[in-house]
Amino acid sequence: SRTKRLGMMLNSCSGQNLALIDVKGFDPRDITVTVKDGKVTVAAERKVECNTGLSKTSNYKKFVKEFCLPPGVCDQEVTYSV
């Protein structure tokens, strides 16, 4: 399996676009793409803390998208970019 912290245009080496995934609101460092066994998993998670002095709040945002690669596209052919 390969895991890289990159963004969201997924392509095969033949130049065919496989997916464009909207991850608005996430920093590229918050995004993880895993390609394994013919499946692509895109996950992003971030935590924002706010401390006003009187109280402390935390907001979590999480995104997960998984899909199967098209027939004929192997794991090693997939590339992704921000």
Side-chain angles (χ1 to χ4, degrees):
S1 95
R2 297 183 307 153
T3 302
K4 293 189 180 184
R5 291 184 167 274
L6 295 173
M8 291 325 1
M9 175 61 83
L10 298 164
N11 300 295
S12 70
C13 66
S14 64
Q16 175 186 11
N17 290 338
L18 300 176
L20 177 61
I21 300 171
D22 182 8
V23 288
K24 184 177 179 182
F26 290 99
D27 187 279
R29 294 175 300 212
D30 298 333
I31 301 165
T32 302
V33 178
T34 304
V35 182
K36 183 178 179 183
D37 299 330
K39 289 187 180 182
V40 177
T41 304
V42 179
E45 186 173 0
R46 81 172 200 190
K47 176 181 175 181
V48 178
E49 293 183 346
C50 182
N51 190 349
T52 64
L54 298 174
S55 65
K56 183 177 178 180
T57 60
S58 295
N59 289 323
Y60 292 90
K61 186 173 183 179
K62 186 173 183 177
F63 170 89
V64 177
K65 172 101 174 155
E66 182 176 274
F67 58 94
C68 294
L69 293 174
V73 176
C74 69
D75 296 357
Q76 293 77 23
E77 293 179 334
V78 177
T79 61
Y80 20 94
S81 62
V82 176

